[in-house]
Amino acid sequence: MKLRLDFRTIMLKGAVIGYRHVEINISPHYHKNNYQHNGDDFTPLQAIKSIKDVLCYLNIKESEYSYLKVVNLEFGVNIILHDDIKNIMNGLYYHNKDQFIIPDERYIYSKRSDTTKYKQIKVYAKGIQFATNPGYRIDPNTLRFEVKSKESKYIRTQKIYTALDLLNVFKYEKFADTLLLEWERVLVINLISKTRKEHNSEYWSNLITNEKRNIFRDNKIKYYDGLIRHDNIHLQVKLKLIDKIYQLLNNAISTQKTTINPGFLINDTTSTKEINVENAYLHRCIITGIDISSQKKGSKFLRETTLRDIKINDSDLFQELSSRYLTDHGKQQSDERKIYLICKNIRDVDSNKRNCRKSFEKRNYNANQLQFCFRT
């Protein structure tokens, strides 16, 4: 079951005398697909909608969301590969120095890192998993890469504390960074390339037990650097992950017709309305979703005059904006300075996304790599 309530009982002399708490186990991606599969794309806004749908179904009020502590977190992304996915799955050897294992022999193309509940890395051949369900239209070469944790210490590193955080679209950028970081730590061997000593898993296990601290890492880098580009599966998957993650994050503010809910800045009366962002600048700030109808025609962002009115008439919203867009130093400034900084930082969110893409490419693409520049 992808939606389950686990009641934690209190026992006394072998008898149930009450319940300590209840754990709500949900899979937003499966919920979106009527609990059939999670083999397609899933945007942050779709995740937020699914979570709110489930909580509403359970009759949990929005005022109670902050009481729902997140104790289990799993996030991932699907990509479609050009290479044979079986070769990639067979060549998955290690995440850091933790070996990939097959937890269930019935699904030999589903692997996870052999680690503790603190953090697990999971890789699935989704196309193979759902091969008997062609109606789902999942590409046979679909690979799913996931991070899972049941440790609150790790979950906090993702800036996730309560259900409210899962409804904040900006939190999903951290998930994206984590997925790319964890893939960097994966060792995947191209078993159909020219036979080399690195194809033998024992070669790597021997390096792990070697007394030299960094010899495993250094040999992994050396192996990747020695591959011809099209033989470097790790690089090919990495580029697919980057492009897919950027696409999914960008969709959160795209011009597609979708419900906008960037955090909690839209009130209940507007949060369920569909807004075409292509024309949203006429009425709402394209970053916060706040009504800016009183501003100059063509305004795209929240401006100082509107924010001054918000400070007077909606102190809770002003505090939310201060919390999100001011640093600790900024919060110590005068009211006028705060208003200026909040508006500036909101505008920076838009410009930073463009700059972030450039940094993304600089950090993850080889400088000599052939690139095509598309502008829409």
Side-chain angles (χ1 to χ4, degrees):
M1 289 292 293
K2 299 301 179 181
L3 174 58
R4 187 180 70 250
L5 302 181
D6 291 335
F7 291 86
R8 301 305 181 184
T9 58
I10 300 174
M11 306 292 293
L12 179 64
K13 297 181 179 180
V16 177
I17 62 171
Y19 297 95
R20 182 176 294 106
H21 66 272
V22 61
E23 294 184 359
I24 305 171
N25 297 278
I26 66 173
S27 174
H29 198 161
Y30 272 90
H31 177 83
K32 172 226 174 192
N33 292 321
N34 297 316
Y35 295 93
Q36 294 178 326
H37 69 88
N38 65 340
D40 59 351
D41 286 346
F42 193 52
T43 70
L45 290 177
Q46 289 172 329
I48 290 170
K49 182 180 184 303
S50 289
I51 294 169
K52 295 187 77 171
D53 284 348
V54 172
L55 295 180
C56 180
Y57 171 76
L58 296 174
N59 201 28
I60 298 175
K61 300 175 182 178
E62 289 192 19
S63 60
E64 298 170 330
Y65 290 174
S66 62
Y67 299 113
L68 299 178
K69 181 182 178 182
V70 178
V71 296
N72 187 356
L73 183 64
E74 188 170 316
F75 53 92
V77 64
N78 296 323
I79 57 174
I80 299 175
L81 307 173
H82 295 307
D83 298 307
D84 181 12
I85 197 167
K86 292 182 179 179
N87 175 49
I88 295 176
M89 294 302 300
N90 290 332
L92 277 172
Y93 283 0
Y94 287 91
H95 173 264
N96 280 340
K97 295 182 181 180
D98 299 312
Q99 189 174 17
F100 276 106
I101 62 172
I102 300 173
D104 189 335
E105 292 298 331
R106 294 175 299 173
Y107 307 105
I108 61 174
Y109 296 112
S110 296
K111 293 185 174 182
R112 67 168 173 81
S113 56
D114 189 16
T115 53
T116 65
K117 66 178 182 179
Y118 174 74
K119 180 178 66 177
Q120 288 184 347
I121 306 301
K122 303 164 72 175
V123 189
Y124 303 97
K126 278 292 172 183
I128 295 177
Q129 179 183 347
F130 291 106
T132 58
N133 301 97
Y136 297 165
R137 304 176 72 177
I138 300 174
D139 190 284
N141 268 354
T142 298
L143 178 140
R144 181 168 182 80
F145 183 62
E146 286 183 354
V147 177
K148 178 179 181 179
S149 179
K150 294 183 179 180
E151 281 283 342
S152 59
K153 181 180 179 180
Y154 178 80
I155 294 172
R156 286 197 298 270
T157 68
Q158 302 300 307
K159 308 301 182 184
I160 300 297
Y161 303 93
T162 72
L164 283 176
D165 296 309
L166 298 176
L167 302 178
N168 184 343
V169 72
F170 297 107
K171 297 285 186 176
Y172 290 75
E173 295 178 0
K174 177 63 175 176
F175 297 161
D177 292 340
T178 298
L179 287 168
L180 293 176
L181 174 63
E182 298 301 348
W183 180 254
E184 280 296 314
R185 296 168 174 168
V186 168
L187 171 65
V188 56
I189 305 298
N190 188 348
L191 298 177
I192 62 174
S193 63
K194 183 178 178 180
T195 302
R196 304 171 51 152
K197 62 183 179 181
E198 289 91 348
H199 288 196
N200 190 335
S201 60
E202 291 186 5
Y203 168 80
W204 297 100
S205 61
N206 289 336
L207 291 178
I208 289 176
T209 58
N210 193 290
E211 292 181 356
K212 294 182 179 179
R213 181 178 181 182
N214 296 323
I215 191 169
F216 179 89
R217 182 201 64 186
D218 293 343
N219 276 270
K220 182 176 76 171
I221 295 173
K222 182 179 178 181
Y223 167 69
Y224 287 151
D225 289 345
L227 292 173
I228 301 174
R229 177 183 170 81
H230 67 265
D231 283 340
N232 190 336
I233 292 178
H234 184 271
L235 176 61
Q236 298 303 321
V237 173
K238 175 182 175 179
L239 296 179
K240 288 280 187 180
L241 287 171
I242 291 172
D243 288 341
K244 177 59 68 175
I245 287 172
Y246 178 74
Q247 173 195 334
L248 295 177
L249 286 177
N250 192 47
N251 279 346
I253 55 165
S254 72
T255 57
Q256 296 179 10
K257 191 177 182 183
T258 184
T259 299
I260 302 177
N261 183 8
F264 317 105
L265 303 186
I266 303 177
N267 61 38
D268 292 341
T269 60
T270 61
S271 62
T272 58
K273 294 182 180 179
E274 288 188 336
I275 302 171
N276 189 330
V277 188
E278 188 173 12
N279 299 313
Y281 66 88
L282 296 175
H283 306 286
R284 297 186 176 279
C285 171
I286 64 173
I287 300 301
T288 64
I290 291 174
D291 186 0
I292 56 174
S293 301
S294 62
Q295 294 180 188
K296 183 179 178 180
K297 184 177 179 180
S299 294
K300 295 183 179 181
F301 307 103
L302 181 69
R303 302 298 302 195
E304 286 82 351
T305 52
T306 304
L307 188 53
R308 290 189 189 99
D309 290 338
I310 290 174
K311 184 177 184 300
I312 295 171
N313 300 313
D314 193 342
S315 59
D316 289 341
L317 179 55
F318 185 81
Q319 288 302 317
E320 173 66 26
L321 290 166
S322 298
S323 176
R324 178 171 297 171
Y325 295 107
L326 289 179
T327 63
D328 289 340
H329 176 70
K331 294 173 184 176
Q332 305 302 317
Q333 305 301 308
S334 65
D335 286 346
E336 275 301 306
R337 181 64 176 171
K338 288 179 184 177
I339 288 171
Y340 166 77
L341 290 173
I342 290 172
C343 292
K344 178 182 182 300
N345 290 334
I346 287 173
R347 294 193 299 272
D348 286 347
V349 170
D350 179 69
S351 60
N352 286 347
K353 279 194 289 289
R354 296 191 296 272
N355 295 333
C356 180
R357 178 59 181 177
K358 294 177 182 178
S359 299
F360 226 36
E361 294 171 352
K362 184 177 180 181
R363 185 170 65 250
N364 293 288
Y365 291 88
N366 189 292
N368 297 319
Q369 175 183 336
L370 178 63
Q371 297 187 40
F372 295 92
C373 183
F374 296 96
R375 292 290 183 264
T376 57

